[in-house]
Amino acid sequence: MSSILIIGAGIGGIAAAARLAKAGYSVTVLEKTGQPGGRASTIEGQGFYFDTGPSLFLMPPTYAQTYADLGERIEDHLDLVRIDPTYRVHFHDGSRLDLSSNMHYMQEQLEAIEPGAFEQLLRFLAEGAKRYRKSLDRFVGRNFYNLLEFFAPANLPLLFELKPLTKHYTETGRYFEDPRLRAALSFQNMYLGLSPYEAPATYTLLQFTEFVEGVWYPRQGMYAIATSLTGIAEGHGATFHYNAPVKQINVHEGRVTGVTLADGEPLEADIVIANADLPYVYTDLLPEDPAASRMDTLKYTSSTLMFYWGVKGDRSDHLLHHNVFLSDHVYRESFAEIFHAHSLPSEPSFYIHAPVRTVPDFAPEDADALMVLVPTGHLNGGAGQDFAALQSRAKSWVFRRLSQLGVDIEDRIIFERTLTPPDYRDTWNLAKGAAFGLSHNVMQVGYLRPQNRHRRYENLYFVGASTHPGTGVPIVLLSAKLIEERVRKEQPLR
């Protein structure tokens, strides 16, 4: 039986383990930390529960297909509830917009902001629907084995249909005049750690999936995705080892032969799949590799300042399950500060996850559990990056914006945990502390993105955010599907 070692038990590593174990391979997963999930983890204490990473359950058919491929029904593992309104968006002038799949409600809100905007929304979503389906069928959901496949004549029309050379914010501006609407329908690029001024217009598909397929949430919390898939993988015979950091990938005569753990123990395998961040694998786990020097020249996503607050007292009606606070009057400037100055904007936009509105048990009675995400620049070598100071400034800004709504929590926080870019680097080995891995500009997608198999070591594969097809939990689940397809084609069972 062919043996596989998987480095890392993030969602991609877990899903790949489950798929390949079901296919008959002998699979062992080596995880640096004490639990599965990677960034999709939890923080618990004093009766409070927080998802540490992803909090938006998007593209439900992709999840359902993953479970089905593993011989399971998603509803037997996840108790999903649809979140609607999907978000409450707060603008700098005190106005707000609830994004909802209720089209009558959307019509009322949009027409009050910009006459004619509702009809434009329908056109905008229709274009997003086309891009969504074509992206999944012909771009995101397939392997590209060579450059000719990627640039095949049949794919050339996609340059016009998916608009990869047009920027998302520019495309949004074709439909809406009001800067608040342009911001409210382009900030979703931050799911991918991207600026709407640099992200391809292809990603207008995000708004389609939110409005049409919906935004959902498992009542058990997002971590249930990791634990359920781990249980399925183990049921198919995969083995998980925790607190087992890998020191290096071993190679001999052009092939990988296994890994060496941090404690010096060598482990042999026929195939190695790295779910660790791809740039980290090239720079820290492989022997000297010409591709390692290229990693620093690639573009990376943003990072985040995370706050996990247990708040004593009443749960504010001003906050829904998902809440976005936009500094839309300095929208362009704030993204420049994140992606070019690699810092915290002077007036940062931020996101608040308040799941107690859906799952009351995530906090004690007469208390609230709030996860606050403030986008900031990734690590840039330390120049001008005082994260203690940036944390303090971000925290003060969040308190200020909330107090403008009459939500005063500063003196009611009884539990706090935080994450900063150095934490992403040190805990999960994310290069530059970039919370979402490598960026998705036009030169880092498809075959142009670092491939999911090493060019030289043909039995070394990659799964996760920084390889093809990219970042985000449902896309990483597709990454695992593509790895199963490629391994079974190139490394058939012996």
Side-chain angles (χ1 to χ4, degrees):
M1 182 183 294
S2 300
S3 59
I4 298 176
L5 287 174
I6 298 181
I7 305 170
I11 296 294
I14 298 168
R19 285 177 170 278
L20 289 164
K22 183 176 184 293
Y25 293 82
S26 174
V27 180
T28 300
V29 183
L30 305 169
E31 167 56 34
K32 173 186 176 183
T33 70
Q35 61 187 31
R39 284 161 281 176
S41 186
T42 63
I43 290 174
E44 299 180 55
Q46 295 178 216
F48 296 99
Y49 175 96
F50 305 89
D51 294 307
T52 59
S55 58
L56 293 157
F57 191 102
L58 301 173
M59 299 172 62
T62 301
Y63 287 89
Q65 187 61 55
T66 295
Y67 283 88
D69 289 348
L70 296 172
E72 304 284 336
R73 299 190 325 144
I74 189 171
E75 52 267 36
D76 292 335
H77 296 273
L78 303 177
D79 182 8
L80 295 171
V81 58
R82 187 164 185 167
I83 307 300
D84 199 286
T86 54
Y87 312 91
R88 175 161 288 169
V89 182
H90 296 269
F91 302 107
H92 82 284
D93 64 359
S95 61
R96 75 186 194 196
L97 175 67
D98 289 349
L99 297 183
S100 170
S101 295
N102 182 328
M103 290 293 104
H104 179 69
Y105 184 35
M106 285 303 300
Q107 184 176 27
E108 288 181 343
Q109 294 182 93
L110 291 176
E111 293 302 315
I113 295 173
E114 179 183 316
F118 179 68
E119 183 178 345
Q120 292 295 83
L121 175 68
L122 297 181
R123 292 179 56 235
F124 182 71
L125 294 178
E127 287 301 311
K130 295 175 185 176
R131 291 170 192 150
Y132 178 65
R133 296 188 181 99
K134 287 180 180 177
S135 292
L136 286 181
D137 293 344
R138 299 174 58 186
F139 189 69
V140 175
R142 59 161 295 183
N143 281 305
F144 292 99
Y145 292 93
N146 56 63
L147 195 62
L148 291 178
E149 279 190 5
F150 186 60
F151 287 111
N155 288 335
L156 293 181
L158 295 179
L159 289 174
F160 303 97
E161 296 165 358
L162 300 182
K163 291 198 170 182
L165 303 179
T166 302
K167 304 308 179 188
H168 191 152
Y169 190 83
T170 301
E171 179 70 2
T172 306
R174 292 182 56 240
Y175 296 87
F176 307 101
E177 293 292 335
D178 194 292
R180 291 171 296 177
L181 296 184
R182 292 182 180 185
L185 293 164
S186 64
F187 77 82
Q188 292 84 352
N189 288 281
M190 289 304 296
Y191 302 163
L192 309 174
L194 304 176
S195 164
Y197 295 96
E198 298 177 4
T202 311
Y203 294 123
T204 57
L205 60 85
L206 291 169
Q207 286 76 38
F208 165 78
T209 185
E210 287 182 350
F211 277 101
V212 178
E213 293 181 337
V215 174
W216 299 74
Y217 190 74
R219 291 189 188 276
Q220 312 99 309
M222 292 291 285
Y223 190 56
I225 300 165
T227 56
S228 65
L229 289 175
T230 299
I232 293 169
E234 290 175 329
H236 287 300
T239 303
F240 288 75
H241 296 281
Y242 301 105
N243 300 305
V246 171
K247 178 181 179 181
Q248 69 181 35
I249 296 172
N250 302 323
V251 302
H252 180 68
E253 295 183 351
R255 291 181 64 82
V256 300
T257 58
V259 305
T260 299
L261 300 182
D263 63 7
E265 180 184 2
L267 299 174
E268 295 184 352
D270 299 308
I271 303 161
V272 172
I273 300 174
N275 184 218
D277 194 32
L278 181 144
Y280 171 79
V281 175
Y282 275 96
T283 59
D284 288 67
L285 296 186
L286 284 169
E288 189 170 335
D289 190 310
S293 60
R294 177 174 173 258
M295 294 298 117
D296 199 49
T297 68
L298 298 175
K299 285 187 175 292
Y300 288 76
T301 57
S302 66
S303 194
T304 64
L305 298 171
M306 303 294 300
F307 301 93
Y308 305 91
W309 290 332
V311 181
K312 184 175 177 60
D314 293 339
R315 300 163 182 175
S316 172
D317 292 335
H318 290 289
L319 298 177
L320 303 183
H321 187 117
H322 298 295
N323 310 270
V324 177
F325 292 76
L326 294 177
S327 294
D328 45 294
H329 62 307
V330 288
Y331 199 55
R332 182 184 295 272
E333 294 87 342
S334 67
F335 283 108
E337 289 177 281
I338 294 170
F339 290 95
H340 301 297
H342 302 301
S343 188
L344 178 72
S346 54
E347 298 185 33
S349 299
F350 59 92
Y351 160 76
I352 294 181
H353 184 222
V356 173
R357 278 84 187 140
T358 304
V359 190
D361 293 344
F362 281 7
E365 290 186 20
D366 191 30
D368 207 352
L370 304 178
M371 180 191 85
V372 182
L373 183 158
V374 186
T376 190
H378 63 61
L379 298 172
N380 68 347
Q385 290 183 305
D386 181 345
F387 286 106
L390 295 180
Q391 263 191 318
S392 177
R393 184 158 64 81
K395 194 173 183 178
S396 296
W397 179 256
V398 172
F399 290 152
R400 176 181 169 184
R401 286 293 302 266
L402 288 176
S403 68
Q404 292 170 354
L405 296 178
V407 181
D408 295 305
I409 65 170
E410 183 172 3
D411 297 327
R412 297 193 286 121
I413 295 175
I414 59 174
F415 177 91
E416 180 181 54
R417 295 288 186 274
T418 64
L419 288 173
T420 65
D423 294 318
Y424 286 107
R425 176 196 61 200
D426 298 339
T427 304
W428 295 294
N429 298 326
L430 291 167
K432 298 182 183 289
F436 309 90
L438 288 176
S439 186
H440 294 76
N441 65 341
V442 70
M443 296 303 295
Q444 290 180 191
V445 293
Y447 190 78
L448 303 179
R449 193 171 183 79
Q451 288 295 289
N452 56 9
R453 193 194 73 184
H454 196 280
R455 291 183 184 276
R456 179 181 177 190
Y457 308 121
E458 295 185 352
N459 60 334
L460 172 60
Y461 296 85
F462 301 93
V463 64
S466 288
T467 187
H468 175 68
T471 194
V473 176
I475 304 304
V476 166
L477 291 176
L478 289 175
S479 174
K481 181 180 180 180
L482 298 182
I483 280 299
E484 179 199 7
E485 172 191 302
R486 188 157 193 173
V487 167
R488 294 179 70 175
K489 176 181 179 179
E490 298 175 348
Q491 315 287 338
L493 278 167
R494 293 188 286 104

